[in-house]
Amino acid sequence: ASNAIVLLPIARPGVVTIALLAFAALVVVACGGEDRNAAESSDSTPPPTAVASSPTATSDPNECGYSQGRNTSAQVAGRTVLVHLPLCYDTTSDRYPVVILIHGAGADETQWPDVGATSVADRLIKDGSIAPIILVMPAVGESTGDEQDAFVANQLVPFIDGKFRTLPDAAHRAVGGISRGGGAALRTGSEHPELFSVVGG
């Protein structure tokens, strides 16, 4: 599959959030496919991902009893990674597409929840605008473009596919970013078409 490059204007944070989540929906559509935000311990992690066997989630996100997804965090190569699991993740065995979101300069992984990415994702999933997705928000700090690219491609993607119930192929994986993170996302996506089918910046 060829990469779809989506260039998004940087305007208001809410507009950027909705636009980046909209591009995430492209992954799903093109491929057929109470406060619970406390960090979970590593003891309660799901079994590792095997080869994807189903195209996307099959459960109704409005029927599992939760009003929002759940955040968890992990350390990957010394960097904090915030992961937002979709509604019903804990009550099904479904596998999900993944959207990696890279923060801007001077920010960290908390930039995305702060601008509403996780709450917007929950709302779009609940109303059926997009299928359930896993959001992955790494802290990349002030590392160079080469370092960010190597981290995302060589460490982050394998870690996420090994720890969570993903659909572990390029057709179900997107990368996007805001400001400097947008440039990083465009670079990583263009250099790794084997990992990403949708790129947004």
Side-chain angles (χ1 to χ4, degrees):
S2 61
N3 274 15
I5 305 291
V6 182
L7 299 178
L8 305 173
I10 301 301
R12 294 172 292 142
V15 172
V16 174
T17 297
I18 292 171
L20 281 171
L21 289 171
F23 95 75
L26 294 175
V27 177
V28 179
V29 172
C31 305
E34 315 88 331
D35 186 13
R36 302 175 60 242
N37 285 329
E40 75 172 4
S41 71
S42 59
D43 295 333
S44 59
T45 57
T49 297
V51 176
S53 58
S54 63
T56 189
T58 57
S59 59
D60 182 341
N62 294 295
E63 293 183 357
C64 60
Y66 300 117
S67 60
Q68 61 189 37
R70 174 172 60 84
N71 289 342
T72 184
S73 61
Q75 291 292 312
V76 181
R79 302 171 193 248
T80 300
V81 176
L82 181 63
V83 178
H84 186 72
L85 300 171
L87 296 160
C88 302
Y89 183 90
D90 296 316
T91 61
T92 73
S93 59
D94 291 340
R95 296 184 179 277
Y96 300 92
V98 172
V99 179
I100 297 172
L101 297 172
I102 303 174
H103 62 76
D108 60 20
E109 75 283 358
T110 64
Q111 181 176 28
W112 292 104
D114 288 349
V115 301
T118 55
S119 58
V120 169
D122 289 343
R123 178 173 54 80
L124 294 175
I125 290 167
K126 280 181 69 69
D127 70 18
S129 296
I130 64 172
I133 54 174
I134 295 173
L135 298 181
V136 177
M137 300 156 279
V140 296
E142 301 301 313
S143 53
T144 67
D146 284 341
E147 291 168 339
Q148 291 178 15
D149 178 58
F151 169 71
V152 170
N154 301 327
Q155 296 171 304
L156 183 60
V157 168
F159 174 84
I160 295 299
D161 283 343
K163 184 175 176 75
F164 300 100
R165 295 194 316 273
T166 67
L167 290 165
D169 56 26
H172 295 92
R173 191 182 297 116
V175 62
I178 186 171
S179 191
R180 190 177 73 175
L186 293 173
R187 174 184 176 139
T188 298
S190 64
E191 292 189 0
H192 296 280
E194 77 283 5
L195 295 179
F196 302 101
S197 61
V198 179
V199 182

